[in-house]
Amino acid sequence: MFSKRQSSSLAGLCNGAQHCNCFTKEFNQVWNPPKATTSRLPMSAESAGNGKGHCRCSARCASRRWSRIIVSSNIGISACGKGGQWRQALALLSEMWETNLKPDVISYSAGISACEKGKQWQRALALLSEMWEAKLEPDVIIYNAGISVCAKAEQWQRANALLSEMWHARLEPDVMSYSAGISACEKGAQWQRALGLLSEMCEVKWEPDCSSATAPGSARARSASSGSRL
């Protein structure tokens, strides 16, 4: 059955995204499957002998059903994020734990992406930490979303910390990782750090885009205008 929280989350999503009608229909089909009719006839000897096979079949059916629910939940979180409904996205993610569904990497990726779009950098970092606690390894895309939301919030120290964390996790930052990190340094008037990232970017043979190449100069200008010592 749909919980009250899931219903309210979907209602909020409907107000923010036109394509959620199809999702809601699919989600309801998964959470409210048709009830199977049960027979009250005595179990025959033959059917009793096939009890183990029936149990295995039931287990497989249950596993497939839970998998469908997880997939549909992930679709819901992603749709909420795209519709600008980060609160509803996090509510669905929380609901997965409360209904004994273990969120996977895709669930967290969609949740962090929703936080990025909603400029919720603290919540995004909390989800990253939660992933490690759940023994789920974030990928480059997830880290990029985290660095990006920190850059938008002018949290250059957090953005740089995530870049360093990627190397410790044996993940090689890509162009988007460095671009977001340099952007964060630009907003924080950290021109020296921006130059360092630009140099590091070239060392790993990533070609910086125009905005990344000009960011150190912009950061230096910001630093000068704010009266910082160069």
Side-chain angles (χ1 to χ4, degrees):
M1 294 289 293
F2 244 162
S3 68
K4 291 183 179 179
R5 181 179 298 178
Q6 287 166 332
S7 298
S8 62
S9 297
L10 291 175
L13 173 59
C14 288
N15 293 329
Q18 295 179 350
H19 60 276
C20 91
N21 289 333
C22 295
F23 160 74
T24 306
K25 181 179 180 181
E26 170 66 17
F27 205 66
N28 275 311
Q29 288 175 350
V30 175
W31 277 94
N32 304 300
K35 293 183 179 180
T37 57
T38 56
S39 173
R40 296 188 178 182
L41 294 176
M43 182 183 292
S44 65
E46 182 179 357
S47 61
N50 293 332
K52 292 183 179 179
H54 177 72
C55 289
R56 286 194 295 268
C57 179
S58 297
R60 286 195 298 269
C61 291
S63 177
R64 285 195 294 268
R65 180 171 178 263
W66 285 116
S67 296
R68 287 185 63 199
I69 293 173
I70 292 173
V71 169
S72 294
S73 297
N74 292 346
I75 293 172
I77 297 169
S78 179
C80 286
K82 291 177 181 178
Q85 304 291 324
W86 65 268
R87 288 185 178 85
Q88 280 78 9
L90 296 187
L92 285 174
L93 188 59
S94 177
E95 185 76 11
M96 290 181 73
W97 284 110
E98 293 178 9
T99 52
N100 294 322
L101 287 173
K102 185 178 179 181
D104 56 17
V105 172
I106 298 174
S107 313
Y108 279 103
S109 178
I112 292 172
S113 179
C115 290
E116 178 194 3
K117 291 179 175 61
K119 298 181 180 180
Q120 300 294 315
W121 67 273
Q122 291 172 312
R123 296 177 188 274
L125 294 184
L127 289 181
L128 265 173
S129 297
E130 194 175 298
M131 284 190 73
W132 286 111
E133 291 175 3
K135 297 182 179 180
L136 296 172
E137 296 184 5
D139 56 18
V140 173
I141 296 174
I142 292 175
Y143 268 106
N144 287 352
I147 298 169
S148 177
V149 70
C150 288
K152 292 175 181 177
E154 299 186 7
Q155 298 291 324
W156 69 270
Q157 292 170 313
R158 302 278 186 175
N160 279 264
L162 288 179
L163 271 172
S164 299
E165 189 176 307
M166 288 181 72
W167 288 110
H168 289 298
R170 297 183 179 181
L171 291 172
E172 182 177 339
D174 59 13
V175 172
M176 293 184 65
S177 313
Y178 281 109
S179 296
I182 292 171
S183 176
C185 292
E186 177 191 3
K187 290 180 174 64
Q190 301 296 315
W191 64 271
Q192 291 173 315
R193 180 55 183 160
L195 279 175
L197 288 179
L198 189 62
S199 176
E200 186 179 310
M201 191 176 182
C202 294
E203 286 178 6
V204 295
K205 299 181 179 180
W206 287 119
E207 184 176 349
D209 55 21
C210 183
S211 60
S212 298
T214 58
S218 177
R220 185 165 185 168
R222 284 172 180 261
S223 179
S225 65
S226 63
S228 300
R229 293 182 180 180
L230 303 180

